[in-house]
């Protein structure tokens, strides 16, 4: 599998492409990372250094790849945090170019906007761009529960209301939706869930909820789910494998006492997840 991944990059830590590329490579996939920023560290620290790359520069990198005559071999385009509306347009253009060269290619969009605890933390125009332009062009989206509500104008809480919101999101264009950080009021205490839906049905997986805040875990999740879905053709299997690997990564990070994801130390969890969690069909 070949993945064109258009995301941020950091020198220290693991978010964006600095979180997504290595797990995909550890699974044996070829990844072509295109950076939208190159910062010293993620912005959660409150201070960082480095450039926000101009949209034209990002487009030039993609054009250079196209000039190698290889866009037709791309199986999936992956995008995450979009720092500005102009980058969104570059990503949409890249997706169109890839699909013109290979109509079987898919586009996975992680519509990063915020979370239930921090609220919306992107520029005001980004949610509108995602809802009106980017999500309709995607085949797969991987919002958290908060972002799903923002995209669909709903407040998903129960399983039923979350499934209803997913249906609304799928009506916008994507055929597959993975919802992360699902925290239903009626779930067992100390757990968290992921929900995946496509034409085959709806599946949910539950894991223990670890007491850590892990920047970049959503980027790893979107990358792994994209790879496993392509590899297995089953969202139930892709969901189970993804949840198992991400939990292993988070457990290793929690045990280390470090703030940053222990991506390298936990690499065996990508290739051979130690704790298998099963996906349960809910529709």
């Amino acid at each position: 599998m070949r993945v064109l991944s258009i995301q941020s990059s950091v020198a220290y830590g693991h978010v964006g492409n600095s979180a997504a590329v290595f797990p995909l490579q550890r699974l044996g996939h070829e990844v072509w990372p295109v950076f939208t920023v190159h910062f010293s560290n993620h912005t959660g620290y409150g201070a960082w250094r480095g450039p926000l790359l101009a949209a034209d520069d990002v487009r030039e990198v993609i054009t250079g790849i196209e000039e190698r005559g290889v866009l037709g071999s791309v199986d999936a385009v992956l995008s995450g945090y979009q720092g500005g509306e102009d980058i969104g347009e570059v990503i949409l253009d890249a997706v169109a170019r890839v699909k013109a060269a290979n109509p079987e290619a898919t586009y996975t969009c992680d519509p990063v906007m915020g979370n239930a605890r921090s609220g919306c933390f992107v520029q005001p125009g980004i949610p509108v761009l995602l809802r009106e332009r980017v999500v309709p062009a995607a085949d797969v989206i991987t919002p958290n529960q908060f972002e799903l509500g923002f995209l669909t104008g709903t407040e998903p809480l129960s399983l039923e209301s979350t499934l209803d919101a997913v249906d609304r999101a799928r009506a916008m264009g994507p055929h597959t939706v993975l919802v992360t950080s699902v925290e239903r009021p009626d779930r067992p205490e100390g757990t968290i869930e992921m929900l995946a839906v496509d034409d085959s049905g709806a599946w949910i997986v539950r894991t223990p909820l670890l007491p850590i805040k892990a920047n970049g875990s959503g980027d790893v999740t979107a990358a792994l789910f994209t790879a496993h879905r392509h590899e297995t053709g089953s969202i139930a299997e892709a969901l189970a494998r993804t949840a198992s690997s991400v939990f292993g990564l988070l457990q290793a990070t929690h045990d280390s006492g470090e703030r940053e994801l222990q991506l390298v130390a936990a690499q065996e969890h990508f290739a051979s997840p130690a704790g298998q969690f099963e996906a349960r069909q809910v529709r």
Side-chain angles (χ1 to χ4, degrees):
M1 178 179 173
R2 292 184 174 183
V3 181
L4 177 66
S5 184
I6 310 171
Q7 302 196 56
S8 60
S9 170
V10 294
Y12 173 73
H14 301 288
V15 299
N17 268 331
S18 302
V21 172
F22 178 68
L24 289 171
Q25 291 174 329
R26 186 64 180 80
L27 287 172
H29 302 298
E30 186 73 27
V31 189
W32 303 338
V34 176
F35 299 155
T36 55
V37 308
H38 186 55
F39 289 161
S40 54
N41 50 269
H42 68 69
T43 59
Y45 286 95
W48 65 93
R49 295 179 182 271
L52 172 67
L53 300 179
D56 286 344
D57 291 335
V58 179
R59 193 188 306 271
E60 280 291 291
V61 173
I62 296 167
T63 298
I65 297 172
E66 183 179 40
E67 289 171 345
R68 304 288 72 76
V70 294
L71 284 190
S73 66
V74 172
D75 297 294
V77 180
L78 177 63
S79 73
Y81 172 76
Q82 299 182 20
E85 296 176 54
D86 50 354
I87 294 296
E89 296 296 337
V90 172
I91 292 170
L92 286 171
D93 178 60
V95 170
R97 294 197 217 181
V98 168
K99 290 198 169 192
N102 177 15
E104 298 302 314
T106 62
Y107 169 38
T108 298
C109 169
D110 183 6
V112 178
M113 289 182 279
N115 56 59
R117 292 170 179 79
S118 303
C120 191
F121 51 65
V122 296
Q123 295 180 12
I126 296 298
V128 176
L129 174 71
L130 288 168
R131 184 174 60 245
E132 296 182 359
R133 298 283 314 283
V134 181
V135 167
D139 300 288
V140 182
I141 60 171
T142 62
N144 60 38
Q145 196 172 24
F146 170 84
E147 291 160 344
L148 176 66
F150 213 102
L151 285 172
T152 59
T154 64
E155 190 175 359
L157 293 173
S158 66
L159 177 59
E160 292 73 20
S161 61
T162 302
L163 285 168
D164 178 66
V166 169
D167 289 340
R168 290 171 182 256
R170 293 183 70 221
M172 297 166 67
H175 55 64
T176 302
V177 177
L178 171 69
V179 188
T180 64
S181 301
V182 176
E183 299 184 72
R184 295 186 288 151
D186 59 345
R187 75 191 190 282
E189 186 176 355
T191 65
I192 194 166
E193 295 169 320
M194 287 188 202
L195 172 71
V197 183
D198 71 0
D199 290 340
S200 70
W203 305 78
I204 201 164
V205 64
R206 178 181 297 153
T207 67
L209 174 62
L210 297 171
I212 61 171
K213 178 182 178 182
N215 295 85
S217 58
D219 303 317
V220 175
T221 300
L224 291 176
F225 184 75
T226 298
H228 290 315
R229 181 184 164 277
H230 269 266
E231 192 171 39
T232 67
S234 163
I235 65 159
E237 184 66 19
L239 177 63
R241 290 188 186 187
T242 300
S244 297
S245 292
V246 172
F247 179 79
L249 169 63
L250 294 178
Q251 183 71 68
T253 301
H254 178 259
D255 292 346
S256 74
E258 297 285 340
R259 175 171 179 172
E260 295 291 341
L261 290 176
Q262 297 302 290
L263 208 68
V264 175
Q267 61 181 281
E268 287 305 315
H269 290 289
F270 306 137
S272 304
Q276 293 294 329
F277 296 94
E278 293 186 1
R280 174 173 61 90
Q281 188 164 14
V282 292
R283 189 174 69 187

